[in-house]
Amino acid sequence: MNKQDEWHNNPIGVFDSGVGGLTVAREIMRQLPNERIVYFGDTARVPYGSKSKETVTRFSRQIVHFLETQDVKAIVVACNTVSAYALEELEKEVDIPMIGVVKPGVRAALDATVNKKIGVICTEATMNSGIYSRYIQENDSSVKILGKACPLFVPLVEEGLWEDPVTDEIARRYLTELVDSGIDTLILGCTHYPMLRSTVRKIMGESVTLVNPAYETARELKALLADKGLESEHRPELGTELYRFYVSDAADKFQRFANSILTYGILSAKVIRIDEF
Ligand code: DGL
């Protein structure tokens, strides 16, 4: 059998600025257990959310080039900031099918809302791009959208302060206006934020539906693979590496983090020089 015939058994590339994309990788592992994953976290250059479109696009292009060297059959941009700033451009540059997390999140939120008031919390970059408002309005122009950038959330997550009085205090400052606004649905519009879910839940209350786009993204990936005939036929045999992790810095820290949120045993992460791609 030649290489092309086996292409559907190749891995999925998943990337983020850091650890946030692991919330998406976790969902892909759960929903698509036959699929192998190559994950890249740009731990040397996180956060992306306070950087310009040009910089985020340049960084993301390097990551896509790296993933191409890993022969990935599809790429999941597990980062809202990249999905907002760079995905459209990158899609035009490579032949590999790509999906982001914004459209799936919007779909899930539109399904969930009853009063048609949706909140979005995200990075400053995602907020400035206006992408959530654009996609929501394109689907239903009667929906009211309230966006709020929460720039301190990413460093708090990267530092492991998921449940901490400091995080509570900062979250309260960011979220109070959303509580008062009467939204019934809140999109966690940054892949780091599902780690702060219980803090956000405490402040927003039980009546607000929290949307984590990861679930819908994995479903969309499944449909895309089926559509393109790219589904892996069987779970890779014991001994073949199911999941591989790469970072641009601080592999130990990443490893500890990954082990605390993934249920797939001891992982090791390898450092690569991403600026060489
Ligand atoms: N996790 C990313 C996102 O979904 C990026 C966070 C950051 O690097 O600022 O936007």
Side-chain angles (χ1 to χ4, degrees):
M1 203 157 317
N2 69 35
K3 199 178 163 194
Q4 210 52 41
D5 293 330
E6 290 288 342
W7 189 250
H8 59 276
N9 289 324
N10 282 20
I12 312 284
V14 179
F15 76 93
D16 178 46
S17 59
V19 297
L22 290 170
T23 61
V24 180
R26 176 174 61 185
E27 199 52 41
I28 296 170
M29 292 168 183
R30 210 176 60 78
Q31 289 188 40
L32 290 86
N34 288 354
E35 299 299 339
R36 294 159 59 209
I37 292 175
V38 175
Y39 184 95
F40 178 79
D42 201 356
T43 46
R45 306 188 291 199
V46 66
Y48 280 12
S50 50
K51 296 188 170 69
S52 67
K53 184 175 163 86
E54 288 67 33
T55 300
V56 170
T57 305
R58 179 163 53 85
F59 289 173
S60 308
R61 185 176 287 119
Q62 291 170 344
I63 299 169
V64 167
H65 289 165
F66 163 67
L67 291 173
E68 279 183 299
T69 68
Q70 302 298 302
D71 286 337
V72 297
K73 63 182 173 186
I75 293 178
V76 177
V77 176
C79 174
N80 288 263
T81 306
V82 177
S83 303
Y85 267 174
L87 178 57
E88 275 178 23
E89 203 166 323
L90 296 173
E91 271 176 326
K92 290 184 206 139
E93 296 174 8
V94 289
D95 250 354
I96 305 167
M98 268 189 222
I99 61 168
V101 283
V102 173
K103 280 186 184 167
V106 164
R107 250 195 311 278
L110 288 170
D111 279 352
T113 187
V114 176
N115 73 3
K116 298 201 176 213
K117 287 186 188 165
I118 298 176
V120 183
I121 50 174
C122 56
T123 65
E124 284 171 301
T126 303
M127 186 77 187
N128 292 341
S129 77
I131 195 164
Y132 273 100
S133 303
R134 179 151 61 89
Y135 285 160
I136 291 172
Q137 291 287 320
E138 272 171 19
N139 281 281
D140 185 344
S141 58
S142 68
V143 171
K144 277 211 164 67
I145 306 142
L146 203 84
K148 179 78 187 166
C150 305
L152 291 171
F153 277 1
V154 168
L156 287 169
V157 168
E158 294 273 334
E159 288 310 314
L161 297 170
W162 307 348
E163 289 182 50
D164 189 276
V166 172
T167 309
D168 274 2
E169 173 58 28
I170 291 168
R172 215 166 282 284
R173 289 201 197 186
Y174 284 147
L175 301 178
T176 300
E177 65 184 90
L178 290 171
V179 175
D180 296 341
S181 71
I183 56 164
D184 70 354
T185 303
L186 178 65
I187 303 176
L188 306 179
C190 169
T191 52
H192 282 70
Y193 297 178
M195 254 84 88
L196 302 179
R197 193 184 183 98
S198 58
T199 302
V200 174
R201 162 66 64 222
K202 201 162 53 189
I203 296 165
M204 294 308 299
E206 291 299 325
S207 61
V208 173
T209 303
L210 301 183
V211 172
N212 172 2
Y215 177 79
E216 201 59 30
T217 303
R219 268 174 48 125
E220 187 171 314
L221 174 65
K222 197 172 182 174
L224 174 91
L225 296 180
D227 183 50
K228 300 208 173 288
L230 285 174
E231 286 168 305
S232 192
E233 285 156 345
H234 43 74
R235 198 173 166 82
E237 284 162 28
L238 223 65
T240 45
E241 271 187 315
L242 198 49
Y243 308 127
R244 295 202 307 270
F245 296 86
Y246 295 89
V247 289
S248 46
D249 199 9
D252 286 353
K253 188 175 175 190
F254 176 89
Q255 239 166 267
R256 279 196 300 280
F257 199 102
N259 270 320
S260 68
I261 78 154
L262 301 175
T263 44
Y264 290 87
I266 313 236
L267 309 163
S268 68
K270 198 171 163 206
V271 177
I272 56 156
R273 288 287 308 267
I274 195 64
D275 47 350
E276 288 174 357
F277 287 90

